[in-house]
Amino acid sequence: MIKNDLFLRALKGETVDRPPVWMMRQAGRYLPEFQEIKKKYDFFTRCQTPELASEITVQPIRRFGMDAAILFSDILVIPQAMNIEVEMKPNFGPYLPNPIRSQKDLDSVIVPDIQDTLGYVMEAIKATKEKLNDEVPLIGFAGSPWTILCYCVQGQGSKNFDKAKELCFTNPVIAHSLLQKITDTTIAYLKAKVAAGVDAVQVFDSWGGMLSPVDYQEFSWQYMQQIIDALKDITPVIAFGKGCWFALDEMSKSGASALGVDWTCSARNARYLSGGKITLQGNFDPSRLFSPPAVIKKMVHQMINEFGKDRLVVNLGHGILPNIPLENAKAFVDAVKEYKAN
């Protein structure tokens, strides 16, 4: 049994003394111990070496004692497994030299055997579970099919993913076929992660907010729903759509255990739009971690009061930024641990 199961209890909607806390992207770039590993190994070597991935995963737990660990990996291991080349260029980010923009491109994309292509992730999970020694739960994750499509079609990061949207609107047949292949792969991948030992999964729809509400239903949400349907009976699922406050009502009926909320949606609106009966996760502005520790603590307590301590997982509204001072990250985590309901 997991010694600190606060995170899992919050996902079930149980009454708690304080909400649990973890941070998206907590395993990584803002930590000096991560930077030491980064100097020695390139990005995908870190992802693909179970000993390194597990070490990076537990570093923030050792330092700050969050209530959950999230496996160090990347959403783009999925297209790699699907026979799409992905590079991680320093000071540039992801680069896919052969983007998927035609039927011919699509024909080379496979739905892989997960153990063959992503077995190293399962090994990293086992190694991490050993290191965590049942202290806290371990979260596995994947990108949403729409977010993965954005990179596969655009070929790199983008402010507006114009080429991805162009494919969807000029050749929806290819877009939907690619989305379905990504969905099938993601379901198999997350099921394998659960079998390997993760205690919950999160689906990151980082670019969902790029779409209008109508297009979101067609090109993103219906595929997210397939993933939730396939996983919800075997593990808690957190659905996080950045900029997708407009879909909270529909998301709340999906069978997900919790919904992630970004910092552009107030606690009150998030509770209202999601019907008030589902666990919410969020939603501190990551840039607010530049504020002095005393201000961070005050704002975190205010945020918890606005959401209410139950059915809440305290988190940032997106990933922690690389240049956040360590004492500020600590202040964020400590503020939640010190919280006392009025």
Side-chain angles (χ1 to χ4, degrees):
M1 292 298 289
I2 291 169
K3 299 179 188 89
N4 172 359
D5 64 349
L6 190 58
F7 170 71
L8 298 175
R9 286 167 52 214
L11 292 183
K12 286 182 190 151
E14 292 178 13
T15 301
V16 291
D17 292 332
R18 67 159 176 93
V21 58
W22 67 280
M23 291 188 286
M24 289 186 270
R25 286 203 160 162
Q26 69 186 18
R29 53 207 186 155
Y30 67 107
L31 291 172
E33 51 269 46
F34 172 83
Q35 291 299 333
E36 287 304 306
I37 293 176
K38 186 181 172 183
K39 281 179 201 159
K40 295 182 195 153
Y41 306 97
D42 72 66
F43 183 80
F44 281 116
T45 301
R46 299 195 296 272
C47 289
Q48 291 163 2
T49 310
E51 184 48 45
L52 294 176
S54 62
E55 172 59 26
I56 293 166
T57 301
V58 299
Q59 282 176 346
I61 308 302
R62 282 192 203 120
R63 188 183 268 275
F64 299 122
M66 291 87 165
D67 297 305
I70 184 162
L71 187 74
F72 175 77
S73 186
D74 194 80
I75 63 172
L76 296 179
V77 300
I78 287 269
Q80 277 185 330
M82 296 174 71
N83 201 31
I84 301 169
E85 190 182 345
V86 182
E87 300 167 19
M88 197 60 76
K89 291 189 168 182
N91 306 317
F92 179 82
Y95 178 66
L96 292 74
N98 307 302
I100 310 302
R101 294 179 189 165
S102 68
Q103 185 60 49
K104 184 168 171 288
D105 298 333
L106 182 66
D107 291 341
S108 65
V109 177
I110 61 166
V111 174
D113 177 304
I114 296 297
Q115 294 302 338
D116 270 2
T117 52
L118 293 164
Y120 63 84
V121 178
M122 312 315 142
E123 293 308 312
I125 289 168
K126 288 169 189 161
T128 305
K129 289 293 279 188
E130 215 163 281
K131 285 185 171 133
L132 288 172
N133 194 25
D134 290 331
E135 289 297 332
V136 294
L138 178 62
I139 304 165
F141 71 90
S144 74
W146 159 253
T147 289
I148 301 295
L149 173 139
C150 280
Y151 289 104
C152 292
V153 177
Q154 197 80 22
Q156 60 187 68
S158 167
K159 285 198 166 58
N160 57 9
F161 287 100
D162 52 339
K163 291 184 172 65
K165 290 172 90 168
E166 182 185 346
L167 178 76
C168 290
F169 305 152
T170 58
N171 207 325
V173 173
I174 290 177
H176 283 297
S177 180
L178 177 57
L179 284 163
Q180 193 58 57
K181 284 186 176 186
I182 297 167
T183 303
D184 295 344
T185 304
T186 303
I187 287 169
Y189 176 56
L190 290 176
K191 282 185 169 175
K193 281 187 165 182
V194 174
V198 301
D199 301 291
V201 297
Q202 175 158 318
V203 184
F204 283 84
D205 196 7
S206 300
W207 306 124
M210 296 276 173
L211 294 165
S212 73
V214 172
D215 292 330
Y216 186 71
Q217 292 299 327
E218 181 178 351
F219 294 103
S220 184
W221 182 252
Q222 63 163 318
Y223 298 101
M224 294 264 286
Q225 184 67 66
Q226 283 186 43
I227 294 168
I228 294 165
D229 287 343
L231 271 295
K232 66 182 181 186
D233 292 337
I234 59 169
T235 197
V237 182
I238 304 168
F240 172 59
K242 185 169 177 287
C244 300
W245 59 269
F246 55 79
L248 283 172
D249 176 41
E250 179 134 9
M251 289 175 161
S252 70
K253 300 167 184 151
S254 64
S257 292
L259 305 178
V261 185
D262 70 37
W263 66 95
T264 63
C265 186
S266 69
R268 185 179 171 190
N269 278 350
R271 286 284 185 216
Y272 172 73
L273 292 167
S274 62
K277 293 189 173 65
I278 189 166
T279 297
L280 297 177
Q281 176 177 281
N283 71 340
F284 203 75
D285 180 350
S287 300
R288 264 292 176 183
L289 291 184
F290 288 117
S291 298
V295 174
I296 292 169
K297 288 196 175 187
K298 187 178 168 197
M299 290 182 74
V300 168
H301 289 165
Q302 192 178 342
M303 179 177 88
I304 297 170
N305 286 336
E306 285 170 8
F307 275 106
K309 69 173 173 66
D310 294 325
R311 293 202 180 100
L312 175 65
V313 175
V314 174
N315 206 318
L316 304 174
H318 205 226
I320 186 169
L321 299 164
N323 49 343
I324 294 297
L326 290 175
E327 61 269 26
N328 295 19
K330 183 177 189 304
F332 178 78
V333 175
D334 287 352
V336 186
K337 292 183 164 183
E338 292 160 8
Y339 178 80
K340 300 222 175 359
N342 297 335

PDB file of all heavy atoms in Angstrom, residues 179-198:
ATOM      1  N   LEU A 179      -5.021  10.887 -36.380  1.00  0.00           N
ATOM      2  CA  LEU A 179      -5.494  11.007 -34.996  1.00  0.00           C
ATOM      3  C   LEU A 179      -5.893   9.644 -34.425  1.00  0.00           C
ATOM      4  O   LEU A 179      -5.603   9.337 -33.267  1.00  0.00           O
ATOM      5  CB  LEU A 179      -6.684  11.976 -34.916  1.00  0.00           C
ATOM      6  CG  LEU A 179      -6.323  13.465 -35.021  1.00  0.00           C
ATOM      7  CD1 LEU A 179      -7.564  14.295 -35.361  1.00  0.00           C
ATOM      8  CD2 LEU A 179      -5.692  13.974 -33.722  1.00  0.00           C
ATOM      9  N   GLN A 180      -6.529   8.817 -35.258  1.00  0.00           N
ATOM     10  CA  GLN A 180      -6.956   7.503 -34.767  1.00  0.00           C
ATOM     11  C   GLN A 180      -5.759   6.596 -34.514  1.00  0.00           C
ATOM     12  O   GLN A 180      -5.712   5.868 -33.511  1.00  0.00           O
ATOM     13  CB  GLN A 180      -7.924   6.843 -35.750  1.00  0.00           C
ATOM     14  CG  GLN A 180      -8.640   5.616 -35.164  1.00  0.00           C
ATOM     15  CD  GLN A 180      -9.418   5.942 -33.900  1.00  0.00           C
ATOM     16  OE1 GLN A 180     -10.283   6.812 -33.895  1.00  0.00           O
ATOM     17  NE2 GLN A 180      -9.120   5.263 -32.796  1.00  0.00           N
ATOM     18  N   LYS A 181      -4.759   6.654 -35.393  1.00  0.00           N
ATOM     19  CA  LYS A 181      -3.544   5.856 -35.171  1.00  0.00           C
ATOM     20  C   LYS A 181      -2.845   6.280 -33.879  1.00  0.00           C
ATOM     21  O   LYS A 181      -2.369   5.440 -33.105  1.00  0.00           O
ATOM     22  CB  LYS A 181      -2.571   6.021 -36.358  1.00  0.00           C
ATOM     23  CG  LYS A 181      -2.964   5.239 -37.612  1.00  0.00           C
ATOM     24  CD  LYS A 181      -1.859   5.360 -38.675  1.00  0.00           C
ATOM     25  CE  LYS A 181      -2.188   4.511 -39.901  1.00  0.00           C
ATOM     26  NZ  LYS A 181      -1.082   4.480 -40.880  1.00  0.00           N
ATOM     27  N   ILE A 182      -2.786   7.595 -33.648  1.00  0.00           N
ATOM     28  CA  ILE A 182      -2.159   8.097 -32.420  1.00  0.00           C
ATOM     29  C   ILE A 182      -2.969   7.644 -31.205  1.00  0.00           C
ATOM     30  O   ILE A 182      -2.413   7.226 -30.181  1.00  0.00           O
ATOM     31  CB  ILE A 182      -2.050   9.640 -32.439  1.00  0.00           C
ATOM     32  CG1 ILE A 182      -1.132  10.106 -33.579  1.00  0.00           C
ATOM     33  CG2 ILE A 182      -1.522  10.151 -31.091  1.00  0.00           C
ATOM     34  CD1 ILE A 182      -1.210  11.611 -33.870  1.00  0.00           C
ATOM     35  N   THR A 183      -4.298   7.707 -31.319  1.00  0.00           N
ATOM     36  CA  THR A 183      -5.181   7.298 -30.218  1.00  0.00           C
ATOM     37  C   THR A 183      -4.991   5.824 -29.880  1.00  0.00           C
ATOM     38  O   THR A 183      -4.845   5.457 -28.705  1.00  0.00           O
ATOM     39  CB  THR A 183      -6.656   7.578 -30.577  1.00  0.00           C
ATOM     40  OG1 THR A 183      -6.808   8.962 -30.882  1.00  0.00           O
ATOM     41  CG2 THR A 183      -7.593   7.209 -29.435  1.00  0.00           C
ATOM     42  N   ASP A 184      -4.977   4.971 -30.905  1.00  0.00           N
ATOM     43  CA  ASP A 184      -4.818   3.522 -30.680  1.00  0.00           C
ATOM     44  C   ASP A 184      -3.474   3.228 -30.006  1.00  0.00           C
ATOM     45  O   ASP A 184      -3.387   2.405 -29.089  1.00  0.00           O
ATOM     46  CB  ASP A 184      -4.926   2.759 -32.009  1.00  0.00           C
ATOM     47  CG  ASP A 184      -6.318   2.861 -32.630  1.00  0.00           C
ATOM     48  OD1 ASP A 184      -7.272   3.243 -31.916  1.00  0.00           O
ATOM     49  OD2 ASP A 184      -6.463   2.575 -33.835  1.00  0.00           O
ATOM     50  N   THR A 185      -2.440   3.926 -30.474  1.00  0.00           N
ATOM     51  CA  THR A 185      -1.104   3.745 -29.879  1.00  0.00           C
ATOM     52  C   THR A 185      -1.095   4.215 -28.433  1.00  0.00           C
ATOM     53  O   THR A 185      -0.547   3.540 -27.541  1.00  0.00           O
ATOM     54  CB  THR A 185      -0.050   4.527 -30.695  1.00  0.00           C
ATOM     55  OG1 THR A 185      -0.108   4.117 -32.061  1.00  0.00           O
ATOM     56  CG2 THR A 185       1.353   4.284 -30.162  1.00  0.00           C
ATOM     57  N   THR A 186      -1.718   5.358 -28.186  1.00  0.00           N
ATOM     58  CA  THR A 186      -1.722   5.946 -26.842  1.00  0.00           C
ATOM     59  C   THR A 186      -2.472   5.066 -25.848  1.00  0.00           C
ATOM     60  O   THR A 186      -2.032   4.883 -24.701  1.00  0.00           O
ATOM     61  CB  THR A 186      -2.334   7.363 -26.881  1.00  0.00           C
ATOM     62  OG1 THR A 186      -1.580   8.153 -27.806  1.00  0.00           O
ATOM     63  CG2 THR A 186      -2.315   8.027 -25.518  1.00  0.00           C
ATOM     64  N   ILE A 187      -3.583   4.506 -26.272  1.00  0.00           N
ATOM     65  CA  ILE A 187      -4.350   3.612 -25.390  1.00  0.00           C
ATOM     66  C   ILE A 187      -3.500   2.402 -25.010  1.00  0.00           C
ATOM     67  O   ILE A 187      -3.391   2.036 -23.829  1.00  0.00           O
ATOM     68  CB  ILE A 187      -5.676   3.187 -26.062  1.00  0.00           C
ATOM     69  CG1 ILE A 187      -6.661   4.372 -26.077  1.00  0.00           C
ATOM     70  CG2 ILE A 187      -6.294   1.983 -25.349  1.00  0.00           C
ATOM     71  CD1 ILE A 187      -7.900   4.155 -26.930  1.00  0.00           C
ATOM     72  N   ALA A 188      -2.863   1.786 -26.000  1.00  0.00           N
ATOM     73  CA  ALA A 188      -2.016   0.611 -25.724  1.00  0.00           C
ATOM     74  C   ALA A 188      -0.852   0.997 -24.802  1.00  0.00           C
ATOM     75  O   ALA A 188      -0.486   0.252 -23.884  1.00  0.00           O
ATOM     76  CB  ALA A 188      -1.494   0.025 -27.034  1.00  0.00           C
ATOM     77  N   TYR A 189      -0.292   2.178 -25.039  1.00  0.00           N
ATOM     78  CA  TYR A 189       0.847   2.681 -24.259  1.00  0.00           C
ATOM     79  C   TYR A 189       0.456   2.911 -22.800  1.00  0.00           C
ATOM     80  O   TYR A 189       1.148   2.467 -21.876  1.00  0.00           O
ATOM     81  CB  TYR A 189       1.318   3.975 -24.915  1.00  0.00           C
ATOM     82  CG  TYR A 189       2.420   4.741 -24.236  1.00  0.00           C
ATOM     83  CD1 TYR A 189       3.648   4.167 -23.942  1.00  0.00           C
ATOM     84  CD2 TYR A 189       2.246   6.101 -23.932  1.00  0.00           C
ATOM     85  CE1 TYR A 189       4.668   4.911 -23.357  1.00  0.00           C
ATOM     86  CE2 TYR A 189       3.264   6.843 -23.351  1.00  0.00           C
ATOM     87  CZ  TYR A 189       4.475   6.237 -23.060  1.00  0.00           C
ATOM     88  OH  TYR A 189       5.473   6.981 -22.488  1.00  0.00           O
ATOM     89  N   LEU A 190      -0.669   3.597 -22.588  1.00  0.00           N
ATOM     90  CA  LEU A 190      -1.102   3.882 -21.217  1.00  0.00           C
ATOM     91  C   LEU A 190      -1.521   2.603 -20.482  1.00  0.00           C
ATOM     92  O   LEU A 190      -1.253   2.453 -19.286  1.00  0.00           O
ATOM     93  CB  LEU A 190      -2.231   4.915 -21.215  1.00  0.00           C
ATOM     94  CG  LEU A 190      -1.806   6.338 -21.607  1.00  0.00           C
ATOM     95  CD1 LEU A 190      -3.015   7.261 -21.680  1.00  0.00           C
ATOM     96  CD2 LEU A 190      -0.769   6.907 -20.631  1.00  0.00           C
ATOM     97  N   LYS A 191      -2.135   1.669 -21.197  1.00  0.00           N
ATOM     98  CA  LYS A 191      -2.491   0.383 -20.570  1.00  0.00           C
ATOM     99  C   LYS A 191      -1.226  -0.360 -20.127  1.00  0.00           C
ATOM    100  O   LYS A 191      -1.187  -0.959 -19.044  1.00  0.00           O
ATOM    101  CB  LYS A 191      -3.304  -0.482 -21.540  1.00  0.00           C
ATOM    102  CG  LYS A 191      -4.760  -0.061 -21.650  1.00  0.00           C
ATOM    103  CD  LYS A 191      -5.537  -1.028 -22.528  1.00  0.00           C
ATOM    104  CE  LYS A 191      -7.034  -0.760 -22.410  1.00  0.00           C
ATOM    105  NZ  LYS A 191      -7.821  -1.616 -23.345  1.00  0.00           N
ATOM    106  N   ALA A 192      -0.188  -0.294 -20.963  1.00  0.00           N
ATOM    107  CA  ALA A 192       1.081  -0.945 -20.610  1.00  0.00           C
ATOM    108  C   ALA A 192       1.709  -0.264 -19.397  1.00  0.00           C
ATOM    109  O   ALA A 192       2.299  -0.922 -18.531  1.00  0.00           O
ATOM    110  CB  ALA A 192       2.042  -0.911 -21.801  1.00  0.00           C
ATOM    111  N   LYS A 193       1.573   1.072 -19.316  1.00  0.00           N
ATOM    112  CA  LYS A 193       2.105   1.800 -18.159  1.00  0.00           C
ATOM    113  C   LYS A 193       1.389   1.376 -16.876  1.00  0.00           C
ATOM    114  O   LYS A 193       2.023   1.229 -15.830  1.00  0.00           O
ATOM    115  CB  LYS A 193       1.924   3.314 -18.356  1.00  0.00           C
ATOM    116  CG  LYS A 193       2.953   3.943 -19.263  1.00  0.00           C
ATOM    117  CD  LYS A 193       2.792   5.464 -19.251  1.00  0.00           C
ATOM    118  CE  LYS A 193       4.028   6.111 -19.836  1.00  0.00           C
ATOM    119  NZ  LYS A 193       3.976   7.565 -19.826  1.00  0.00           N
ATOM    120  N   VAL A 194       0.074   1.216 -16.963  1.00  0.00           N
ATOM    121  CA  VAL A 194      -0.684   0.784 -15.784  1.00  0.00           C
ATOM    122  C   VAL A 194      -0.234  -0.619 -15.369  1.00  0.00           C
ATOM    123  O   VAL A 194       0.000  -0.892 -14.186  1.00  0.00           O
ATOM    124  CB  VAL A 194      -2.208   0.826 -16.062  1.00  0.00           C
ATOM    125  CG1 VAL A 194      -2.992   0.235 -14.893  1.00  0.00           C
ATOM    126  CG2 VAL A 194      -2.660   2.264 -16.332  1.00  0.00           C
ATOM    127  N   ALA A 195      -0.076  -1.501 -16.360  1.00  0.00           N
ATOM    128  CA  ALA A 195       0.384  -2.868 -16.065  1.00  0.00           C
ATOM    129  C   ALA A 195       1.778  -2.854 -15.442  1.00  0.00           C
ATOM    130  O   ALA A 195       2.099  -3.686 -14.586  1.00  0.00           O
ATOM    131  CB  ALA A 195       0.379  -3.707 -17.345  1.00  0.00           C
ATOM    132  N   ALA A 196       2.598  -1.876 -15.836  1.00  0.00           N
ATOM    133  CA  ALA A 196       3.968  -1.784 -15.299  1.00  0.00           C
ATOM    134  C   ALA A 196       3.993  -1.168 -13.903  1.00  0.00           C
ATOM    135  O   ALA A 196       5.004  -1.260 -13.209  1.00  0.00           O
ATOM    136  CB  ALA A 196       4.841  -0.971 -16.247  1.00  0.00           C
ATOM    137  N   GLY A 197       2.898  -0.519 -13.490  1.00  0.00           N
ATOM    138  CA  GLY A 197       2.842  -0.072 -12.098  1.00  0.00           C
ATOM    139  C   GLY A 197       2.457   1.367 -11.814  1.00  0.00           C
ATOM    140  O   GLY A 197       2.425   1.770 -10.654  1.00  0.00           O
ATOM    141  N   VAL A 198       2.156   2.198 -12.844  1.00  0.00           N
ATOM    142  CA  VAL A 198       1.749   3.567 -12.496  1.00  0.00           C
ATOM    143  C   VAL A 198       0.402   3.542 -11.782  1.00  0.00           C
ATOM    144  O   VAL A 198      -0.411   2.652 -11.992  1.00  0.00           O
ATOM    145  CB  VAL A 198       1.703   4.530 -13.719  1.00  0.00           C
ATOM    146  CG1 VAL A 198       3.055   4.624 -14.409  1.00  0.00           C
ATOM    147  CG2 VAL A 198       0.608   4.152 -14.704  1.00  0.00           C
TER     148      VAL A 198
END
